[in-house]
Amino acid sequence: MEFSSKLLENAVNEISQLPGIGKRTALRLALFLLRKPEENTTELTDALRKMRNEIKFCKNCHNISDSDVCEICLSSNRNHEIVCVVEDVRDVMAIENTAQFKGIYHVLGGKISPMDGIGPNDLNIDSLVEKAKFGTVKEIVFALSSTMEGDTTNFYIFKQIEPYNIVTTTIARGIAVGDELEFADEITLGRSILNRIPFENSLKI
Amino acid sequence: MEFSSKLLENAVNEISQLPGIGKRTALRLALFLLRKPEENTTELTDALRKMRNEIKFCKNCHNISDSDVCEICLSSNRNHEIVCVVEDVRDVMAIENTAQFKGIYHVLGGKISPMDGIGPNDLNIDSLVEKAKFGTVKEIVFALSSTMEGDTTNFYIFKQIEPYNIVTTTIARGIAVGDELEFADEITLGRSILNRIPFENSLKI
């Protein structure tokens, strides 16, 4: 791509560093900003810079927060004895949206993935084990994605906290609500039969 | 979507103002920036702000430029008697990449589109008509997209410059190189038969 302006070229190069955005999309975004009033760009860049410089991570659960400890961890309405282990902030938001979980969270910041060079020490696992060892935690709920990496991470943490006599659970896998049986994959269908639940429980939501 | 941080929420809202980027993608981009070193965000925001504040538009052809007149318009290697009319900067880049055009450009900044509230006065048409009236232009090449709006814009400009005895041409429409005839639409195939060219011309590229 040949640019008639160095300034445009720099902007396009920077935008295309973002994941899932190629040079063409980056150019479209840059031209969009050029067509709009200068304030739009200022607002965007200010919001990005402020977020990057001022955002904090909760000391307790590693969730993104504006203060040292996040609102969920501070709340007295939550059950601090149940800790839900998730991969990242988006999972906290997804679970919060269901309004079905009243415990607190622990954000790992990723999954163990040797292929991507991510080992246990790159994740917030130690602080979780500390909580299990010294804290008042009674149940740990694994809510990682159901992939090889997710399962590896679950198992690694499970082994670490095994000595401390804590109940460990994992979110249910099964046929999604609204899905047809015939199109479900065999593993999911198999698991959903093995882990069947009393019928009256299914009436709760 | 419920955010655990106002700073993150602001950033996501600003990013999702960009075309084709929804809240979920915006969140993914924001979290990507949070995972990367602070310099990455600074470089991105600096590049965007510099581009928006310092970029200029060529006084002659309205192309994006770092100076008052763009390199193409300044070049003595280009034929200033042939002006190619395009919709926006991306079209200039696309045509420049072919290395087949040796004239100069005129960037309209859009197409006449009553549905989107874009009339002739919102585009750089007057300056093109001025060039046709007082300038040394001998040929105007229409290279707008082949849509209702593109055709309307072509015709509007054509009518404006008709009195000044300038050759007007339009880029050829036809079957794309590498395409199979049987899958071409009827209008394109019909036009490509009507506007057939001497066989020896097709050997040039």
Side-chain angles (χ1 to χ4, degrees):
Chain A
M1 236 187 244
E2 277 218 26
F3 291 88
S4 55
S5 151
K6 270 270 162 232
L7 294 167
L8 180 65
E9 187 171 2
N10 281 347
V12 168
N13 284 342
E14 285 296 332
I15 300 173
S16 63
Q17 305 282 321
L18 296 171
I21 296 191
K23 290 258 169 163
R24 266 166 192 273
T25 309
L27 178 60
R28 194 160 53 87
L29 298 181
L31 294 178
F32 172 85
L33 289 176
L34 283 176
R35 270 199 304 274
K36 293 273 164 183
E38 243 174 77
E39 293 88 77
N40 289 36
T41 307
T42 317
E43 281 163 15
L44 171 66
T45 54
D46 284 355
L48 289 180
R49 227 182 10 193
K50 265 192 103 149
M51 173 194 75
R52 188 64 191 84
N53 297 346
E54 295 176 20
I55 223 163
K56 290 177 177 147
F57 291 90
C58 172
K59 275 181 189 166
N60 188 39
C61 72
H62 311 286
N63 191 9
I64 282 174
S65 170
D66 288 343
S67 48
D68 286 340
V69 180
C70 75
E71 282 178 28
I72 296 175
C73 286
L74 281 176
S75 167
S76 58
N77 290 325
R78 317 280 303 209
N79 182 347
H80 290 245
E81 295 181 334
I82 306 179
V83 176
C84 180
V85 178
V86 293
E87 200 185 316
D88 75 9
V89 180
R90 277 176 291 180
D91 302 325
V92 174
M93 290 168 66
I95 296 175
E96 281 299 287
N97 275 340
T98 68
Q100 296 295 327
F101 182 67
K102 290 292 162 218
I104 58 170
Y105 295 92
H106 186 92
V107 180
L108 292 178
K111 291 172 291 193
I112 296 174
S113 173
M115 293 284 282
D116 304 314
I118 302 173
N121 293 331
D122 301 316
L123 306 176
N124 303 318
I125 291 179
D126 287 345
S127 54
L128 178 64
V129 176
E130 293 284 298
K131 274 185 214 169
K133 200 171 175 181
F134 303 110
T136 54
V137 181
K138 293 204 173 139
E139 179 182 349
I140 287 184
V141 185
F142 291 117
L144 299 189
S145 50
S146 184
T147 57
M148 175 87 93
E149 290 84 9
D151 290 345
T152 308
T153 314
N154 282 345
F155 192 70
Y156 180 87
I157 298 174
F158 176 75
K159 278 287 163 200
Q160 298 274 310
I161 58 178
E162 210 177 10
Y164 310 121
N165 271 322
I166 285 172
V167 178
T168 46
T169 55
T170 173
I171 55 169
R173 311 290 178 190
I175 310 295
V177 178
D179 264 14
E180 310 238 14
L181 276 205
E182 58 175 324
F183 301 122
D185 68 287
E186 289 156 33
I187 298 177
T188 304
L189 188 54
R191 281 207 199 180
S192 76
I193 289 172
L194 279 178
N195 301 321
R196 60 194 178 277
I197 55 164
F199 179 66
E200 55 271 28
N201 288 7
S202 72
L203 303 174
K204 280 185 186 161
I205 297 194
Chain B
M1 235 187 243
E2 276 217 29
F3 292 89
S4 55
S5 150
K6 270 271 159 229
L7 294 167
L8 180 65
E9 186 171 2
N10 282 346
V12 168
N13 284 342
E14 284 297 331
I15 300 173
S16 63
Q17 304 282 321
L18 296 171
I21 297 189
K23 290 258 168 162
R24 265 166 193 273
T25 310
L27 178 59
R28 195 161 50 88
L29 299 180
L31 293 178
F32 172 85
L33 288 176
L34 282 177
R35 270 199 305 275
K36 293 273 164 183
E38 242 174 79
E39 295 87 77
N40 288 38
T41 306
T42 317
E43 281 164 16
L44 172 65
T45 54
D46 283 355
L48 289 180
R49 226 179 13 188
K50 265 191 101 149
M51 175 194 75
R52 188 63 191 84
N53 297 345
E54 294 176 19
I55 223 163
K56 292 177 176 146
F57 291 89
C58 172
K59 277 181 187 166
N60 188 38
C61 71
H62 310 287
N63 191 8
I64 281 173
S65 168
D66 288 343
S67 47
D68 286 339
V69 180
C70 76
E71 281 178 29
I72 296 175
C73 286
L74 281 176
S75 167
S76 58
N77 290 325
R78 316 281 302 210
N79 183 348
H80 290 244
E81 295 180 335
I82 306 180
V83 176
C84 180
V85 178
V86 294
E87 200 184 316
D88 75 8
V89 179
R90 278 176 290 180
D91 302 325
V92 174
M93 290 167 66
I95 296 175
E96 282 298 286
N97 275 342
T98 69
Q100 297 294 328
F101 182 67
K102 291 293 162 217
I104 57 171
Y105 295 92
H106 186 92
V107 180
L108 292 179
K111 292 173 289 193
I112 297 175
S113 173
M115 293 283 284
D116 304 314
I118 302 173
N121 293 331
D122 301 316
L123 306 174
N124 302 317
I125 291 180
D126 287 346
S127 54
L128 178 63
V129 176
E130 293 283 298
K131 275 185 212 169
K133 198 170 175 183
F134 302 110
T136 53
V137 182
K138 292 203 174 139
E139 180 182 348
I140 287 183
V141 185
F142 291 117
L144 301 189
S145 50
S146 184
T147 56
M148 176 85 93
E149 290 84 10
D151 291 345
T152 308
T153 314
N154 281 344
F155 192 70
Y156 180 87
I157 298 174
F158 176 74
K159 277 288 164 197
Q160 298 273 310
I161 59 179
E162 210 178 10
Y164 310 123
N165 272 320
I166 285 173
V167 179
T168 47
T169 55
T170 173
I171 55 169
R173 310 290 179 189
I175 310 294
V177 178
D179 266 12
E180 309 238 16
L181 275 207
E182 56 176 327
F183 301 122
D185 68 287
E186 288 158 32
I187 297 177
T188 304
L189 188 54
R191 280 205 199 181
S192 77
I193 289 172
L194 280 178
N195 302 320
R196 59 194 179 276
I197 56 162
F199 178 69
E200 55 272 26
N201 288 7
S202 72
L203 303 174
K204 280 183 186 163
I205 298 192

